[in-house]
Structure formats: structure tokens, C-alpha cells
Amino acid sequence: MTTRMVQEMTNTADPPTVDDIRSLVRPDQVHRRAYADPSVFALEQERIFGRLWIYVAHESQLKKPGDFVRTRLASHEVLVTRHTDGRIYVLHNRCPHRGARICMVDDGTSRLFSCPYHAWVFRPDGSLSTVPHRKSYPAGFDLDDPAHHMRRIERVETYRGFVFAALAEHPEPLVSHLGAMTEVIDNLIDRAPDGEIEIADSSFTIEYRGNWKLHTENAADVFHPSFVHSSSVMPARRAPANASVLDQDQTREMLLANGFGTTEWETIQLRGLAGGHTFMTSFYNSGVLASQTTDPVTTRYQAALAARIGPERAAQVLGMNRFNNIVYPNLIINAQYQQMRVTIPIAVDRTIVRIHCFRLKGAPDEMFQRAVRFLTTIGSPASMIFSDDVEMLERCQQGLAKDTGPWIDFSRGLDSDREDADGSVSGAASEMPMRVQFAAWVNYLTTEAA
């Protein structure tokens, strides 16, 4: 092995410096290493997913003591639990005895958590309840010693039912991190006639072989649907209108909506906010999902909402018409469609996406059925839409893994985007959301811990 080869291997293993990170992002380009370098991914886990407020669960998944959700926080697998004291805890899914993973299911209810290796048993707050053959332990062994408890994440906060956790010692206030994106969370809840939402029992978990940022970028990209989803747009155009009594033509209208042309590219407005948050205006403007539809179900729903908050306020709530609200780095919310996606990075080239829909309490059951139809059409493993997207994300990762052309282009809209008075950026037919996300990415990766 030559000296040069040894140096190259050593350099690859070294964590990237501040200058390294800054050199990866230009005003209109990003270097492939941002997606393909494991050392960059490790730094993301430390300084983005290991410092920011990361969405981990919704309170409706933790209704009673013993309810839990298994997820990840940076490189750590964690359990989000509800204890008998009513509090929500986030625990490392690791037994303090010998380090074994304790829970192997994604959610459920359990009064106690038992380690499968030596049967140490823990309460939902992580405290040690019992150990087998207690007399064989030393006299000083104390069940109440925190060293024998499942390790807790200390910083856990909730915004209107959305549970976030942070590994940083001194994270900024959660509402500061969310910024203007609190508006879409508020809007989702305000749409419920009873003022409360809950996640449906069923959801989809999908894994793709690509970097986590590819999914976040794809959700902010208005150009790709015309090309990537043409295989479903064409059949939808040939299908007769109102042929499906099952969903009031919802699926056909959703597939048609991906047939973008110049008009759609130029009229869909994009916004980029501080911290990497982005959103766009909606493009489901026909059929039962359209904000101005007057079908009987929507009329009943609007009447129920107006009865609680008044007609004027109801009109304001329903007037928010936004799509793919990205709460950086891992949450995507679509309030008017009662949908949510959670991005979970596993490796530099491996990502899990969990896709949920919400029930608006007090709304007609048909509203929830439409939300489920939206979920299956857009985000199920059998979805014609998501399968197209996954194929493209994986093709991108395969190409970026090769150093045949190190720079990728994000220049569309660079000369036409405008900065607004509040510091946000707006544009149309633009790759501005990706540039906003990468500006935040550089900032987070080059900022030392406070």
C-alpha cells in the first residue's frame, strides 16, 4: 500500500473541519460528499440530530400509562413512554446491566419493560423495578440507584401535543426552533371541530437506500412530479371522471395533480424560513380535497367547525392552503390533508420514513376516510407516487456515491428569488428550498456547542 493510499484512507476517517463543511456548499452548488461521506453523516448526527429539537412522538400515541413508541434520536434508539405520573419520558432503549436492547417493537403498551438477557425489569419512567435472585447481588446494590436505571433524555418538550426531544445541554427554546412553523401545527389542531387530533392506529414505515436529505429536498421540489410521476398521470387522464364511488374520484384527482406544466411551476409559491424550514402552497385544487369544495361531507364539517370557533375564524383556519410544511430537520406536516411524515436517518445511505395520518376529532368520519385514502395514494409501500420517488432517491444516491462529477446544481431560481422583510425567502419554479436547507445545514455543522 502506498503512502498516498494510507493518507487518503486516514483523511476519509477524520471528521470534517469547519472549513471542510463550508467548502461543500456554494451559492448554487453542493458537493456530493454532503450525501455520500460517512464522516459528514456522523457530524450531522452529532450537530443536527444530536443538538436540535427532534420530533419523536405525538401525545395521542401515549394516551395512558405504559403506552410507548420506539424511534431514534441521532444515533440512539429511544423509547418514548407515558408513566403513571402522567409525564412523558424519553429513554435510551438499552439495559444498564449489560447493554442489551430491551424493546424490539415500534409501539405498544406495557406496564413494565423487561430486558430479555437477564430479566432486569424497568418502569415506564426508566427506573429499575426488580432484578431476579436479588440476594445474589452485593449488599450495597440499590434498586433506586440512578446508575441502574434506563438512561433518560433530560430535555423533552411538547408543543400542542407534538413531542420533541434534544440531546444538547442547552438547546434554544422549542418555540424558537419551530419559529413560524408553529402556524402549521396550530392550523392542524384548529381544524378539528372538537379542538383535538389523534394519530391513526395504522401507519406506514418505508426504508430507502439513500441519504436523508434527498427525501427532505424531494418534498420541497415542484419540478419533479411532471416527469417522475408521469406513469400515473397518463392513466389518470385517460380514466373517466367520477367513475369511482369508493372515494368520490379523490385518487384520480390526486394523480392528475402531479401533471404539472409551466402554469403550475410558476404559480406554486415557495417559502424558505430561518433554520431550514420550508413550505409551498398547495396543488390539490380540484375534487373533494380542494379547499373550496362544497360537497355534503365538507359542508357538514365546516358547519361543525364554525359552531365551535365561529364562521369568521373557521374561514381563516380553512384558508391556510399550504403543502409539505418541512419542520427542519425531520418532520413534514400537511394540515389540510391530516398527514405527517417523519424522516429517520439510519446511515449515510439508508433512511426510514414513517408516514401517519390524523383524525380530526368532531369531524365527519368521511373526513378521516379521505385522509386514509390520501395516505395510501401518496405514501403506502404500494403507492405509485412514493415508489416513483424512492426509485429516484436511490438513483441519486447511487450516482452520488461515485466521484465522477463532484458538484450538483441547485441554481434554478437563484436570480429571481426575493428576500422578504421578515428574513424569509420566497420564489416560484425555484430550487430555493434546497438552498435554504443547506444554508441552515452549514450553520448547524459549523457551530460549536454552547
Side-chain angles (χ1 to χ4, degrees):
M1 184 177 292
T2 67
T3 301
R4 180 181 177 183
M5 291 174 64
V6 172
Q7 288 174 340
E8 288 179 350
M9 290 176 63
T10 302
N11 291 339
T12 301
D14 289 341
T17 66
V18 167
D19 288 340
D20 288 337
I21 294 299
R22 288 176 177 156
S23 71
L24 298 180
V25 179
R26 298 171 177 172
D28 59 348
Q29 292 179 315
V30 174
H31 197 278
R32 56 169 285 278
R33 281 187 61 201
Y35 303 88
D37 188 335
S39 68
V40 172
F41 177 80
L43 193 64
E44 291 174 337
Q45 292 288 75
E46 174 193 339
R47 297 193 175 180
I48 294 179
F49 291 90
R51 288 186 186 169
L52 302 185
W53 287 104
I54 303 299
Y55 171 83
V56 291
H58 190 267
E59 283 189 339
S60 63
Q61 297 172 289
L62 308 164
K63 295 176 182 176
K64 59 184 182 299
D67 286 353
F68 69 90
V69 172
R70 184 179 65 142
T71 187
R72 291 179 71 89
L73 186 58
S75 60
H76 307 282
E77 189 174 82
V78 297
L79 300 178
V80 189
T81 67
R82 174 84 72 177
H83 188 44
T84 53
D85 61 5
R87 291 179 57 191
I88 292 174
Y89 293 84
V90 180
L91 312 171
H92 287 269
N93 188 23
R94 176 186 182 276
C95 181
H97 176 221
R98 299 286 286 276
R101 295 167 73 195
I102 294 175
C103 179
M104 299 299 288
V105 296
D106 288 336
D107 55 69
T109 302
S110 182
R111 186 175 60 87
L112 297 167
F113 295 97
S114 178
C115 177
Y117 197 10
H118 296 97
W120 282 30
V121 177
F122 304 89
R123 303 178 185 91
D125 66 347
S127 61
L128 182 60
S129 174
T130 61
V131 297
H133 205 251
R134 173 68 183 82
K135 65 182 180 180
S136 64
Y137 287 84
F141 184 88
D142 184 2
L143 292 175
D144 295 326
D145 185 344
H148 300 144
H149 299 173
M150 295 173 69
R151 185 182 168 197
R152 294 176 184 168
I153 307 298
E154 297 297 333
R155 285 151 292 281
V156 180
E157 290 191 19
T158 301
Y159 183 82
R160 300 202 70 178
F162 287 74
V163 184
F164 294 80
L167 292 171
E169 287 290 331
H170 305 289
E172 66 176 328
L174 174 59
V175 292
S176 298
H177 170 70
L178 295 175
M181 298 308 284
T182 56
E183 295 172 358
V184 72
I185 297 176
D186 293 340
N187 185 257
L188 172 59
I189 298 158
D190 291 345
R191 286 173 179 267
D194 288 351
E196 189 176 351
I197 62 173
E198 64 179 3
I199 284 185
D201 291 337
S202 298
S203 62
F204 293 119
T205 298
I206 299 173
E207 180 178 330
Y208 70 89
R209 296 291 177 173
N211 190 266
W212 67 275
K213 296 186 292 297
L214 294 172
H215 175 253
T216 306
E217 293 164 9
N218 189 71
D221 183 273
V222 299
F223 255 56
H224 81 273
S226 306
F227 315 110
V228 176
H229 305 311
S230 61
S231 62
S232 56
V233 172
M234 293 300 106
R237 286 176 175 170
R238 292 193 295 267
N242 302 311
S244 174
V245 296
L246 178 65
D247 65 357
Q248 296 78 51
D249 224 23
Q250 178 180 332
T251 300
R252 189 182 72 91
E253 291 287 357
M254 291 174 67
L255 298 179
L256 284 174
N258 285 314
F260 288 1
T262 301
T263 299
E264 289 79 12
W265 288 334
E266 294 178 353
T267 56
I268 293 176
Q269 294 298 303
L270 305 166
R271 291 290 299 277
L273 310 178
H277 311 307
T278 66
F279 65 88
M280 66 180 72
T281 53
S282 175
F283 48 75
Y284 291 113
N285 296 316
S286 300
V288 296
L289 293 183
S291 58
Q292 303 303 318
T293 187
T294 56
D295 73 287
V297 172
T298 303
T299 300
R300 281 167 34 220
Y301 161 64
Q302 292 174 344
L305 186 62
R308 183 177 71 87
I309 63 177
E312 183 176 346
R313 176 60 182 150
Q316 292 174 346
V317 168
L318 298 178
M320 179 182 280
N321 193 23
R322 291 172 21 179
F323 190 70
N324 279 2
N325 299 268
I326 299 173
V327 182
Y328 195 84
N330 77 321
L331 183 62
I332 303 173
I333 297 174
N334 282 309
Q336 66 266 46
Y337 310 121
Q338 302 155 235
Q339 307 288 313
M340 179 177 72
R341 291 189 186 188
V342 185
T343 306
I344 304 174
I346 303 299
V348 68
D349 57 356
R350 181 182 168 210
T351 304
I352 287 175
V353 180
R354 289 189 175 145
I355 309 171
H356 306 272
C357 68
F358 289 94
R359 183 188 298 275
L360 305 179
K361 290 192 174 182
D365 286 343
E366 293 92 335
M367 294 290 293
F368 178 64
Q369 293 164 11
R370 289 175 181 178
V372 173
R373 173 63 65 178
F374 191 107
L375 179 78
T376 55
T377 301
I378 296 295
S380 80
S383 163
M384 291 183 285
I385 306 302
F386 201 71
S387 59
D388 287 341
D389 288 332
V390 166
E391 175 68 18
M392 291 302 106
L393 303 188
E394 293 190 345
R395 288 193 189 189
C396 286
Q397 190 69 34
Q398 292 160 7
L400 293 169
K402 308 297 182 183
D403 194 13
T404 54
W407 293 97
I408 62 175
D409 186 279
F410 281 135
S411 65
R412 190 189 323 120
L414 186 63
D415 296 332
S416 59
D417 296 337
R418 62 186 182 274
E419 185 170 343
D420 300 320
D422 60 2
S424 64
V425 185
S426 58
S430 176
E431 289 168 324
M432 171 270 294
M434 298 74 167
R435 294 192 293 269
V436 166
Q437 290 170 9
F438 265 107
W441 183 84
V442 170
N443 179 57
Y444 291 134
L445 293 192
T446 58
T447 301
E448 296 295 334

